[in-house]
């Protein structure tokens, strides 16, 4: 592989114009496709095999149109203190809102509007009422004029002194990341300038990463409606694509500068950089792809599509690093080097053989080698303490109650809770596959259960062979008591009675995540273990990598629980409402963080393996690995943390939580695990770290990430009669 990548990198360097033109053309083609495609929707949500999904399928069959996924809105009206919404003045204002929704701007997209006085949607004390509106299309597909008409529908009532707030998914919009994402990229740029000492070298990884993400996200946008990808898929692909795109380019550029400093020609330096660091990039990218594609084992279409879309962006980032980066290096010339390095290459400054002062990575590695047990215990105990809150993890899906208190959705949620009870925001829908007698029996049984506030009479379909019953729980949708009520209804019913609705779907979704976590973990860690065994020709190094990752990801989950569930430092991170952790968070963190963490493992330990294969002792190989890689790994980690942290400012609770979780996980993995625990373990293992049974060594293919075969190939090429020019002819062929 190293030899193939060497030729690929040098070929891209020499044919820089063609390579750059192809990537720019691809970017414009993807951008044109995205611009001409329809706006992405929120994506369909289904849980194959769950009771809630079976109930929705039955509704679709027996009650055509009831299970349609059109947007809904609840306009909640609260009368001033001492007044009621049934008084003539407030009632007239409410009916104006109803009339405006039916016949005003945006009415063409409205399928139905329920008058609260006819639909018995007035609270017992008369202080609060709500208007239910149903739309023909999803919230993301609503026209801007329709959404604005909905927002403005209560302005007249507000002027009359009424409190009008709007909930439901009709106001759904694409998640906004605010200025945090821009700040994250700015921090990445500063780190790159400090790392490279050159604006050109610093700008190159940013430029190539943005091109790669632009192609990936534009492709997702262009295919969003065709593949039903959902509106958050592009955001997550941007998050992951930016992080790995910058890191992969950083690895290549850093190795290119080292090769130049050793006196090699620029095209030769580019070839060697791609052949060595590029091999690490390929396998690091492959672990990320395995982790993301592996999300398919959960058997949730939404999560599978998110994983595949993000994996596609990672593949593009790898290809950009292997081809576009060396092409742009060819355009940049020696400007990728700081001024001092440039002068040194021309024979000025310190002589080439002069002893250099040990850098920070070297000094740190020597410190760890002197005190490996102390460093190991400090790292393990520290992560273990932070991981403690993860034992109290509660999972669920956020609703409008998790929105910032300043939003109209949250205020509508609170008004409904105050006027009708907390459970009114999460009604349960019971679908009966039977006649009226069975439906009446089901209603009587549910009324006798604790935790039930109200049960509506059954609504039969035209054929009289199915019925729908609405159950209002006593507690809020995300509470444990509501979950217990759902299980109680299901346990006491036969196969003919099914519970669904948003609350039941959330419960089934969380259960699906719990059931899939261990199989997914085994699949991803197992495949990555085999992959790392191929890379490092070792059993203990991959085992150490897998166990260390589990420790760092559990610690990251502990931090997420402390902030988002317990509220510790919540105000610092913009968490206005604590609650259960998003159900997909643990499995998503396992997948994404494992892939990203392997970036540092592969890049750092590959340099150690390269030094060990070339004859250095185990301890010295650790020092050599840190000497050449520590600064790059630290810079890459800071960049990745900055990019992920930029998404903490997102308006969407899911994106905010994922951004925080990934940033914390990368911090723990890079600075505690890879920079402290890894060298400590390798120091204690010595030669055993690189042990591989002979029979297994014969079975495993040699992928040669450390570039040993490349070095021998180049030596043979230099000694042959044709000399190195022969290899140049092969590149040009």
């Amino acid at each position: 592989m190293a030899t193939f990548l060497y030729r690929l990198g040098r070929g891209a360097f020499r044919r820089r114009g063609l390579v750059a033109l192809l990537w720019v053309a691809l970017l414009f083609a993807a951008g044109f496709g995205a611009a001409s495609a329809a706006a992405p929707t929120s994506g369909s949500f289904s849980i194959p095999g769950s009771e809630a999904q079976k109930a929705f399928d039955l509704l679709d069959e027996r009650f055509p149109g009831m299970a349609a996924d059109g947007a809904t809105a609840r306009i909640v009206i609260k009368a001033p203190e001492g007044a009621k919404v049934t008084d003539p003045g407030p009632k007239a204002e409410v009916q104006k809102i109803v009339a405006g929704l039916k016949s005003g701007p945006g009415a063409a997209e409205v399928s139905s509007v329920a008058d609260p006085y006819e639909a018995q949607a007035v609270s017992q004390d008369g202080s609060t009422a709500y208007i239910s509106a149903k739309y023909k299309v999803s919230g993301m597909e609503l026209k801007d004029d329709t959404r604005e008409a909905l927002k403005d529908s209560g302005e007249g009532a507000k002027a009359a002194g009424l409190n009008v707030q709007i909930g439901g998914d009709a106001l759904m919009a694409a998640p906004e990341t605010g200025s945090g994402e821009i700040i994250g990229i700015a921090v990445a740029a500063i780190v790159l300038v400090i790392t490279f000492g050159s604006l050109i070298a610093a700008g190159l990884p940013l430029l190539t990463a943005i091109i790669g993400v632009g192609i990936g996200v534009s492709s997702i946008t262009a295919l969003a409606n065709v593949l039903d990808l959902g509106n958050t898929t592009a955001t997550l692909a941007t998050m992951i694509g930016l992080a790995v795109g910058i890191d992969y380019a950083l690895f290549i550029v850093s190795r290119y500068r080292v090769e130049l400093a050793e006196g090699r020609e620029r095209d030769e330096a580019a070839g060697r950089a791609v052949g060595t660091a590029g091999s690490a990039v390929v396998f690091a990218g492959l672990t990320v792809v395995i982790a993301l594609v592996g999300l398919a084992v959960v058997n949730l279409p939404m999560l599978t599509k998110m994983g595949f879309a993000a994996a596609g962006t990672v593949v593009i980032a790898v290809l950009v690093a292997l081809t576009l980066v060396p092409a742009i290096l060819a355009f940049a010339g020696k400007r990728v080097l700081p001024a001092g390095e440039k002068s040194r290459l021309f024979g000025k400054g310190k002589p080439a053989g002069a002893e250099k002062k040990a850098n920070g990575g070297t000094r740190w590695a020597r410190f760890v080698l002197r005190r490996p047990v102390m460093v190991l215990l400090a790292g393990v105990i520290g992560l273990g303490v932070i991981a403690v809150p993860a034992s109290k993890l509660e999972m669920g899906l956020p609703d409008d109650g998790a929105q910032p208190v300043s939003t109209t959705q949250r205020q509508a949620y609170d008004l409904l809770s105050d006027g009708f009870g907390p459970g009114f925001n999460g009604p349960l829908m019971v679908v009966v596959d039977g006649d009226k007698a069975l439906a009446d029996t089901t209603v009587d049984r549910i009324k006798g259960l604790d935790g039930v506030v109200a049960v509506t009479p059954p609504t039969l379909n035209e054929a009289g062979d199915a019925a729908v019953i609405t159950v209002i729980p006593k507690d809020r949708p995300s509470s444990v008591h509501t979950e217990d009520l759902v299980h109680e209804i299901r346990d006491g019913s036969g196969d003919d009675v099914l519970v669904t609705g948003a609350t039941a779907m959330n419960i089934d979704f969380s259960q699906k995540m719990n059931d899939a976590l261990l199989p997914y973990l085994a699949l991803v860690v197992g495949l990555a273990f085999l992959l790392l065994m191929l890379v490092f020709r070792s059993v203990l190094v991959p085992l150490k990598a897998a166990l260390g990752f589990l420790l760092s990801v559990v610690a990251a989950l502990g931090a997420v629980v402390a902030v988002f569930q317990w509220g510790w430092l919540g105000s610092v991170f913009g968490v206005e409402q604590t609650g259960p952790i998003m159900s997909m968070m643990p499995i998503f963190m396992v997948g994404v963080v494992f892939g990203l963490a392997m970036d540092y493992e592969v890049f750092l330990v590959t340099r150690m393996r390269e030094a060990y294969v070339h004859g250095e002792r185990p301890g010295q190989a650790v020092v050599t690995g840190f000497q050449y890689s520590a600064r790059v790994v630290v810079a890459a980690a800071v960049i990745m943390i900055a990019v992920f942290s930029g998404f903490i400012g997102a308006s969407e609770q899911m994106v905010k939580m994922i951004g925080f979780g990934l940033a914390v996980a990368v911090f723990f993995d890079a600075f505690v695990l890879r920079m402290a625990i890894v060298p400590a373990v390798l120091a204690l293992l010595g030669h055993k770290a690189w042990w591989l049974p002979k029979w297994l060594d014969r079975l495993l293919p040699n992928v040669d990430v450390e570039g040993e075969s490349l070095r021998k190939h180049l030596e043979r090429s230099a000694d042959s009669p044709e000399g190195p020019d022969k290899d140049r002819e092969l590149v040009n062929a």
Side-chain angles (χ1 to χ4, degrees), residues 11 104 111 171 325 332 488 492 602:
S111 60
L171 293 182
V325 168
E488 195 172 358
V602 171

Side-chain angles (χ1 to χ4, degrees), residues 293-372:
V293 172
L295 291 171
V297 304
V298 183
N299 193 27
L300 282 174
M302 178 190 71
L303 199 59
T304 300
K305 292 172 185 176
M306 288 170 58
F308 272 86
T313 306
V314 173
V315 170
I316 292 172
V318 172
L319 295 176
V320 165
L322 298 179
T323 57
L324 183 59
V325 168
I328 296 182
L329 285 172
F331 285 115
K334 290 189 172 67
R335 286 172 292 180
V336 296
L337 294 168
E341 295 292 336
K342 291 177 191 174
S343 63
R344 205 169 300 153
L345 287 175
F346 289 101
K348 300 176 183 178
K350 292 183 179 180
E355 184 178 351
K356 296 181 180 179
K357 181 182 178 182
N359 60 20
T362 303
R363 294 193 297 272
W364 171 252
R366 289 171 179 168
F367 170 81
V368 175
L369 289 176
R370 289 195 300 270
R371 301 174 179 83

Side-chain angles (χ1 to χ4, degrees), residues 6-7 10 713-714 717 723-731:
Y6 164 80
R7 291 174 174 172
R10 204 166 74 168
H713 167 77
L714 294 175
S717 177
D725 290 336
K726 178 65 176 176
D727 198 65
R728 293 177 186 269
E729 294 173 7
L730 292 174
V731 174

Side-chain angles (χ1 to χ4, degrees), residues 269-586:
R272 287 176 180 258
V274 175
T276 51
S279 297
V281 165
V282 169
F283 280 94
L286 194 53
T287 57
V288 181
V289 170
I290 287 175
L292 291 171
V293 172
L295 291 171
V297 304
V298 183
N299 193 27
L300 282 174
M302 178 190 71
L303 199 59
T304 300
K305 292 172 185 176
M306 288 170 58
F308 272 86
T313 306
V314 173
V315 170
I316 292 172
V318 172
L319 295 176
V320 165
L322 298 179
T323 57
L324 183 59
V325 168
I328 296 182
L329 285 172
F331 285 115
K334 290 189 172 67
R335 286 172 292 180
V336 296
L337 294 168
E341 295 292 336
K342 291 177 191 174
S343 63
R344 205 169 300 153
L345 287 175
F346 289 101
K348 300 176 183 178
K350 292 183 179 180
E355 184 178 351
K356 296 181 180 179
K357 181 182 178 182
N359 60 20
T362 303
R363 294 193 297 272
W364 171 252
R366 289 171 179 168
F367 170 81
V368 175
L369 289 176
R370 289 195 300 270
R371 301 174 179 83
V373 176
M374 182 192 74
V375 173
L376 179 61
L377 289 177
V380 172
I381 293 173
L383 291 179
V385 170
I386 299 173
V388 169
S391 63
K392 303 296 182 182
L393 174 68
E394 296 177 6
M395 294 197 296
L397 286 179
D399 52 22
D400 283 347
Q403 295 273 6
V405 294
S406 59
T407 62
T408 185
Q409 294 97 323
R410 172 61 185 278
Q411 293 179 43
Y413 181 97
D414 292 340
L415 288 178
L416 284 174
S417 295
D418 295 341
F420 298 89
F424 196 80
N425 282 292
L428 305 177
M429 183 182 293
V430 180
V431 184
V432 180
D433 186 8
D435 56 15
K436 188 175 186 301
L438 178 59
D440 290 338
T441 302
T442 303
V443 168
D444 293 338
R445 189 181 67 81
I446 295 175
K447 284 182 177 179
L449 299 177
D450 293 334
V452 175
V453 172
V455 183
T456 65
T459 301
L460 294 171
N461 65 344
E462 291 184 6
D465 60 355
V468 175
I469 302 164
T470 300
V471 179
I472 306 299
K474 181 188 298 182
D475 298 290
R476 62 193 179 94
S478 58
S479 72
V480 176
H481 300 294
T482 301
E483 182 176 348
D484 293 340
L485 175 61
V486 170
H487 291 310
E488 195 172 358
I489 295 174
R490 288 174 170 173
D491 294 341
S493 306
D495 295 336
D496 296 331
V497 179
L498 306 171
V499 183
T500 188
T503 301
M505 288 286 278
N506 290 351
I507 292 170
D508 288 351
F509 183 82
S510 298
Q511 187 61 48
K512 189 91 169 178
M513 292 292 101
N514 283 334
D515 294 342
L517 182 57
L518 288 180
Y520 174 70
L521 192 60
L523 173 69
V524 171
V525 174
L527 288 176
F529 177 83
L530 294 175
L531 189 64
L532 292 178
M533 192 183 297
L534 285 175
V535 174
F536 297 130
R537 317 298 296 179
S538 165
V539 174
L540 296 180
V541 170
L543 181 62
K544 174 266 306 170
L547 294 177
F549 155 74
L550 292 176
L551 178 60
S552 65
V553 81
V554 173
L557 275 176
V560 170
V561 170
V563 173
F564 288 87
Q565 185 176 310
W566 294 356
W568 293 2
L569 300 176
S571 59
V572 175
F573 298 102
V575 181
E576 298 185 18
Q577 178 66 41
T578 59
I581 302 305
M582 185 180 58
S583 301
M584 68 166 61
M585 190 67 186

Side-chain angles (χ1 to χ4, degrees), residues 605-623:
V605 182
T606 296
R607 208 64 160 98
M608 298 178 190
R609 168 75 181 172
E610 184 178 340
Y612 181 77
V613 168
H614 291 164
E616 293 187 6
R617 295 184 59 79
Q620 183 56 41
V622 171
V623 174

